[in-house]
């Protein structure tokens, strides 16, 4: 195969994989991971289930691709972040209910024994707590004004972010996710 044809084939394959991951995000958001089927994803992108398996050999492989794609959008960079930038991330999430719904559905299901995303979320939360501790240490030093260390406050910060997402998904008209998060940040800084 000539070089240009090989490049075009790889590009088409990458585009098709991205299309499949997008469809999987939608199906998981609607039905949850356990309720989502490869057949439903395949149908959404105009493939047979066998055709889909050419790109993702198992449902678990597709799930990993979905989670990796989501992390590309929401990755908190390594390095100094400020809490106001975290508030901006919460505002950004409020513009993407489908992605937040998918993440929340997978997170909720992953707490069950044997779920294929359990290890992923366990590892991810370790990284996120560490990153949040760094954010808090950058902003407040070794102790927050309320006396907590950044390591003690980091799980609370993550819990508020995720908990607000669930409440907002259930009742977006009543829960101002970004405003409530900013209120929580204010509490962190109080003495």
């Amino acid at each position: 195969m000539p070089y240009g044809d090989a490049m075009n084939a790889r590009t088409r394959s990458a585009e098709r994989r991205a299309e499949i991951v997008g469809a999987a995000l939608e199906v998981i958001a609607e039905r949850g991971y356990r309720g989502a089927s490869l057949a439903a994803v395949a149908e959404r992108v105009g493939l047979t289930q066998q055709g889909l398996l050419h790109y993702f050999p198992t449902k678990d492989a597709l799930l990993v691709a979905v989670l990796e794609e989501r992390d590309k959008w929401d990755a908190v960079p390594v390095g100094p972040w400020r809490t106001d930038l975290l508030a901006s991330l919460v505002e950004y999430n409020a513009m993407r209910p489908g992605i937040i719904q998918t993440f929340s559905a997978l997170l909720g299901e992953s707490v069950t024994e044997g779920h294929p995303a359990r290890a992923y979320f366990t590892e991810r939360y370790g990284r996120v707590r560490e990153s949040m501790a760094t954010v808090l240490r950058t902003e407040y030093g070794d102790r927050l004004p309320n006396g907590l260390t950044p390591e003690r406050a980091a799980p609370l910060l993550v819990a508020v972010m995720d908990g607000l997402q669930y409440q907002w998904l259930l009742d977006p008209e009543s829960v101002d996710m970004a405003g409530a998060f900013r209120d929580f940040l204010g509490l962190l800084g109080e003495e």
Side-chain angles (χ1 to χ4, degrees):
M1 177 183 293
Y3 177 75
D5 290 344
M7 286 293 288
N8 286 338
R10 278 195 295 277
T11 300
R12 281 191 305 275
S13 179
E15 289 169 354
R16 190 60 153 165
R17 286 177 61 87
E19 182 183 8
I20 292 166
V21 167
L25 274 164
E26 293 171 2
V27 171
I28 292 168
E30 294 165 7
R31 304 176 187 184
Y33 174 74
R34 293 197 195 309
S37 68
L38 289 176
V41 175
E43 182 179 319
R44 244 184 232 202
V45 294
L47 287 172
T48 64
Q49 187 169 335
Q50 198 59 34
L52 180 91
L53 292 172
H54 169 73
Y55 296 95
F56 296 97
T58 65
K59 186 177 175 184
D60 291 356
L62 180 55
L63 173 63
V64 168
V66 164
L67 292 169
E68 288 173 347
E69 184 64 24
R70 190 247 179 223
D71 272 356
K72 287 180 193 174
W73 301 328
D74 279 358
V76 174
V78 176
W81 256 57
R82 298 182 322 261
T83 55
D84 62 320
L85 294 177
L86 292 176
S88 296
L89 175 61
V90 172
E91 289 172 4
Y92 174 63
N93 283 343
M95 296 184 296
R96 307 171 316 135
I99 298 299
I100 301 309
Q101 185 178 13
T102 302
F103 175 82
S104 298
L106 288 170
L107 174 59
E109 290 179 351
S110 74
V111 300
T112 59
E113 200 62 40
H115 191 279
R118 186 178 180 111
Y120 166 84
F121 278 111
T122 300
E123 195 274 328
R124 180 184 185 280
Y125 271 104
R127 283 192 331 265
V128 169
R129 285 189 304 272
E130 187 176 306
S131 178
M132 292 303 121
T134 300
V135 167
L136 292 170
R137 180 166 276 103
T138 298
E139 185 116 355
Y140 298 106
D142 289 335
R143 293 249 177 230
L144 280 68
N146 59 22
L148 289 177
T149 65
E151 289 72 23
R152 292 285 309 268
L156 301 173
L157 181 60
V158 176
V160 167
M161 291 177 82
D162 286 354
L164 284 171
Q165 286 183 166
Y166 277 108
Q167 292 179 60
W168 173 75
L169 286 169
L170 290 168
D171 193 1
E173 299 302 316
S174 297
V175 177
D176 175 5
M177 183 167 58
F181 185 70
R182 287 186 190 283
D183 290 343
F184 177 75
L185 291 178
L187 293 174
L188 286 179
E190 289 183 4
E191 293 189 44

